[in-house]
Amino acid sequence: DGGITQSPKYLFRKEGQNVTLSCEQNLNHDAMYWYRQDPGQGLRLIYYSQIVNDFQKGDIAEGYSVSREKKESFPLTVTSAQKNPTAFYLCASSPSDRTYEQYFGPGTRLTVT
Amino acid sequence: AQSVSQHNHHVILSEAASLELGCNYSYGGTVNLFWYVQYPGQHLQLLLKYFSGDPLVKGIKGFEAEFIKSKFSFNLRKPSVQWSDTAEYFCAVRPPGTYKYIFGTGTRLKVLA
């Protein structure tokens, strides 16, 4: 089946540790995105990538890092510098054609204590 | 600042009532507009989209939305809601010349049986 996979579904970490969230897509989409979803705040863009080996900061990139070494993969690292990392993280992808929508993964809920 | 606004944060309706959820954006030029729905425990999925042509767009599950350029609005409507429409609804805009999708803060709809 074509789609976006995110793993794991739930992730627990201690404060001060970096953690990497996985996102893989087999839709052959050029663009990939990471969002953070918090209650009452909607989806806020962390990073996005239009093409392999290129990515741009979104609105809340501080404390996060990404890489795009392969078209199918766009992992997100939540670093210890992120002040409030506990959240629901969503990965999405889309074709280059702007008439197309984004496709979303199931999300990863990260809890940092 | 450029943004997407959803005015209703929580809406409670009885089954068979009519629904209208507001969405306004502040981007100029040609934008692409989307409504997504997130049912409890499920992925975000597309309800409908507008990129050109007829400003009245029909989507899945009986939803429709009207693009009014002069009002920078893209309101979502459904003539008669069902209990199964209980979900969170997000308006999104893809501004011109960018790969970014900007989301509103979402509207939680609860339909009472």
Side-chain angles (χ1 to χ4, degrees), chain A residues 4 30-31 33 35 37 39-43 45 48 50 57-59 88 90 94-106, chain B residues 9 30-32 34 36 38 41-46 49 51 88 90 92 94-106 108:
Chain A
I4 300 175
D30 290 316
Y33 307 79
Y35 293 91
Q37 186 177 9
Q41 298 195 57
L43 276 67
L45 183 64
Y48 64 106
Q50 299 167 216
K57 293 182 179 180
D59 301 317
F88 189 56
L90 284 167
S94 70
S96 306
D97 189 327
R98 63 177 296 111
T99 61
Y100 284 90
E101 66 275 17
Q102 290 177 306
Y103 294 75
F104 284 86
Chain B
H9 299 293
T30 303
V31 295
N32 295 134
F34 308 84
Y36 288 86
Q38 189 174 36
Q42 294 188 28
H43 297 203
L44 267 161
Q45 57 183 283
L46 183 74
K49 63 181 179 181
F51 56 93
E88 190 159 17
F90 293 94
R94 183 169 172 173
T98 176
Y99 276 78
K100 294 170 68 171
Y101 295 75
I102 311 300
F103 283 76
T105 53
R108 285 187 182 268

Side-chain angles (χ1 to χ4, degrees), chain A residues 11-31:
Chain A
L11 192 53
F12 298 89
R13 280 294 182 271
K14 295 287 188 186
E15 198 173 312
Q17 294 179 331
N18 291 357
V19 58
T20 297
L21 280 58
S22 166
C23 177
E24 304 278 331
Q25 55 103 354
N26 61 4
L27 301 167
N28 199 33
H29 288 169
D30 290 316

Side-chain angles (χ1 to χ4, degrees), chain A residues 58-88:
Chain A
D59 301 317
I60 56 165
E62 186 175 347
Y64 299 98
S65 66
V66 293
S67 63
R68 186 89 187 275
E69 296 176 3
K70 298 186 297 182
K71 188 175 185 177
E72 314 81 63
S73 179
F74 191 42
L76 172 75
T77 297
V78 184
T79 75
S80 56
Q82 168 49 234
K83 293 177 184 174
N84 187 18
T86 294
F88 189 56

